[in-house]
Amino acid sequence: MNITKHFTLAEAEHSDTAKKNGIDNTIPEHLKPNLIRMCNFMEEVRSLFNLPIKITSFYRCEELNKLVGGSPNSAHKDCRACDFSVHGKFPHTIFDALRDSDLQFDQLILESSSSGSIWIHLAIAREGEKPRRNIMYGSKTKDGSIFRVANG
């Protein structure tokens, strides 16, 4: 089922980790307004690049968030964040374009893992709150902890 023109409920709920571990990652009804807001925001991101976007992590139920080492306050848990890539673009290029855009995000993080993977994390503010436009770099260490550095 499409939420917006380019984003579906299935990709918002999808998680290989959840599937592998038998975790039900179905989005609860009370979070659907956030899901719609985030998908609409991602349409703006897609328009910025005019290229397809691959979502790698969107909604995470509490159990999944703990399993993947997500922050206890993760915006993924209430459908206000997603990790993604843009077809044919390097993560640093995506990060720079979003940082320099007028898009009203709450948080933008260029994240990496100890294995060398790099991705973009983008979150929107809670309904009624002003977006902070927090811009950071983050790195997951081998023990799973996350080190983040603010960038202005």
Side-chain angles (χ1 to χ4, degrees):
M1 174 178 100
N2 275 47
I3 303 301
T4 60
K5 183 176 180 181
H6 298 103
F7 299 99
T8 68
L9 178 63
E11 70 186 323
E13 293 177 333
H14 176 78
S15 167
D16 289 338
T17 302
K19 190 174 182 178
K20 178 181 169 187
N21 289 279
I23 298 170
D24 179 6
N25 200 47
T26 302
I27 298 171
E29 283 301 314
H30 74 278
L31 294 179
K32 296 284 173 80
N34 285 348
L35 170 66
I36 293 166
R37 286 178 55 237
M38 189 68 202
C39 286
N40 282 321
F41 191 80
M42 290 307 294
E43 289 289 351
E44 292 182 54
V45 172
R46 191 180 192 284
S47 292
L48 182 66
F49 297 100
N50 199 29
L51 290 166
I53 287 177
K54 177 173 176 35
I55 303 292
T56 53
S57 180
F58 200 135
Y59 173 68
R60 293 184 201 148
C61 66
E62 183 71 36
E63 184 180 1
L64 176 60
N65 192 61
K66 283 181 185 174
L67 185 62
V68 300
S71 164
N73 302 328
S74 176
H76 285 281
K77 294 190 323 181
D78 62 0
C79 290
R80 293 184 304 104
C82 71
D83 300 339
F84 67 95
S85 61
V86 176
H87 180 74
K89 297 283 183 189
F90 290 110
H92 290 80
T93 304
I94 301 164
F95 178 83
D96 290 347
L98 289 167
R99 179 196 61 213
D100 297 341
S101 77
D102 292 329
L103 292 177
Q104 294 302 300
F105 54 81
D106 192 57
Q107 190 176 66
L108 169 65
I109 307 173
L110 179 64
E111 291 192 281
S112 62
S113 69
S114 58
S115 67
S117 296
I118 303 173
W119 65 94
I120 301 296
H121 168 91
L122 190 64
I124 58 174
R126 287 182 175 84
E127 183 70 37
E129 290 185 5
K130 183 179 177 177
R132 299 174 294 169
R133 281 193 53 99
N134 252 351
I135 300 167
M136 296 183 275
Y137 297 95
S139 184
K140 274 196 175 182
T141 61
K142 288 183 182 183
D143 70 359
S145 60
I146 298 174
F147 173 71
R148 291 197 170 126
V149 177
N151 180 39

